[in-house]
Short mmCIF file of all heavy atoms in Angstrom, two decimals:
data_model
loop_
_atom_site.label_atom_id
_atom_site.label_comp_id
_atom_site.label_asym_id
_atom_site.label_seq_id
_atom_site.Cartn_x
_atom_site.Cartn_y
_atom_site.Cartn_z
N PRO A 350 -24.96 8.76 -2.11
CA PRO A 350 -25.37 7.62 -1.28
C PRO A 350 -25.42 6.33 -2.10
O PRO A 350 -25.65 6.35 -3.31
CB PRO A 350 -26.76 8.02 -0.79
CG PRO A 350 -27.25 9.03 -1.76
CD PRO A 350 -26.04 9.72 -2.29
N GLY A 351 -25.22 5.22 -1.40
CA GLY A 351 -25.28 3.90 -2.04
C GLY A 351 -26.72 3.47 -2.26
O GLY A 351 -27.68 4.19 -1.95
N ARG A 352 -26.87 2.28 -2.81
CA ARG A 352 -28.21 1.77 -3.13
C ARG A 352 -29.08 1.62 -1.88
O ARG A 352 -30.25 1.97 -1.87
CB ARG A 352 -28.11 0.42 -3.84
CG ARG A 352 -27.55 0.52 -5.21
CD ARG A 352 -27.66 -0.74 -5.98
NE ARG A 352 -27.36 -1.92 -5.16
CZ ARG A 352 -27.14 -3.11 -5.64
NH1 ARG A 352 -27.18 -3.32 -6.93
NH2 ARG A 352 -26.87 -4.13 -4.85
N LYS A 353 -28.50 1.09 -0.81
CA LYS A 353 -29.28 0.85 0.40
C LYS A 353 -29.77 2.17 1.01
O LYS A 353 -30.93 2.29 1.40
CB LYS A 353 -28.42 0.08 1.40
CG LYS A 353 -29.19 -0.53 2.53
CD LYS A 353 -28.29 -1.43 3.36
CE LYS A 353 -29.09 -2.14 4.43
NZ LYS A 353 -28.24 -3.03 5.22
N ALA A 354 -28.87 3.15 1.09
CA ALA A 354 -29.26 4.45 1.65
C ALA A 354 -30.29 5.13 0.76
O ALA A 354 -31.24 5.75 1.26
CB ALA A 354 -28.02 5.33 1.81
N THR A 355 -30.12 5.01 -0.55
CA THR A 355 -31.08 5.61 -1.48
C THR A 355 -32.45 4.95 -1.34
O THR A 355 -33.47 5.64 -1.30
CB THR A 355 -30.57 5.48 -2.93
OG1 THR A 355 -29.29 6.09 -3.02
CG2 THR A 355 -31.51 6.14 -3.91
N ARG A 356 -32.45 3.64 -1.23
CA ARG A 356 -33.72 2.91 -1.07
C ARG A 356 -34.42 3.34 0.22
O ARG A 356 -35.62 3.60 0.24
CB ARG A 356 -33.46 1.40 -1.05
CG ARG A 356 -34.71 0.58 -0.88
CD ARG A 356 -34.35 -0.91 -0.75
NE ARG A 356 -35.52 -1.72 -0.56
CZ ARG A 356 -36.16 -1.88 0.60
NH1 ARG A 356 -35.73 -1.26 1.68
NH2 ARG A 356 -37.23 -2.65 0.70
N THR A 357 -33.67 3.44 1.31
CA THR A 357 -34.24 3.85 2.59
C THR A 357 -34.83 5.25 2.49
O THR A 357 -35.95 5.50 2.96
CB THR A 357 -33.16 3.81 3.69
OG1 THR A 357 -32.64 2.48 3.76
CG2 THR A 357 -33.72 4.19 5.04
N GLU A 358 -34.10 6.16 1.86
CA GLU A 358 -34.58 7.54 1.71
C GLU A 358 -35.85 7.59 0.85
O GLU A 358 -36.80 8.30 1.16
CB GLU A 358 -33.48 8.41 1.09
CG GLU A 358 -33.81 9.88 1.03
CD GLU A 358 -33.95 10.53 2.39
OE1 GLU A 358 -33.29 10.08 3.34
OE2 GLU A 358 -34.72 11.49 2.49
N LEU A 359 -35.88 6.79 -0.22
CA LEU A 359 -37.09 6.73 -1.07
C LEU A 359 -38.28 6.20 -0.29
O LEU A 359 -39.39 6.75 -0.38
CB LEU A 359 -36.84 5.84 -2.28
CG LEU A 359 -36.08 6.47 -3.44
CD1 LEU A 359 -35.71 5.41 -4.47
CD2 LEU A 359 -36.89 7.57 -4.08
N MET A 360 -38.07 5.16 0.48
CA MET A 360 -39.17 4.58 1.27
C MET A 360 -39.67 5.58 2.31
O MET A 360 -40.89 5.72 2.51
CB MET A 360 -38.71 3.29 1.96
CG MET A 360 -38.36 2.17 0.99
SD MET A 360 -39.70 1.67 -0.07
CE MET A 360 -40.67 0.75 1.06
N ASN A 361 -38.76 6.28 2.98
CA ASN A 361 -39.17 7.28 3.98
C ASN A 361 -39.94 8.43 3.33
O ASN A 361 -40.94 8.90 3.86
CB ASN A 361 -37.95 7.83 4.73
CG ASN A 361 -37.37 6.80 5.68
OD1 ASN A 361 -38.04 5.84 6.08
ND2 ASN A 361 -36.12 6.99 6.04
#
Side-chain angles (χ1 to χ4, degrees):
R352 291 189 319 193
K353 195 172 185 179
T355 303
R356 180 185 178 280
T357 302
E358 186 65 29
L359 280 171
M360 296 300 285
N361 288 340

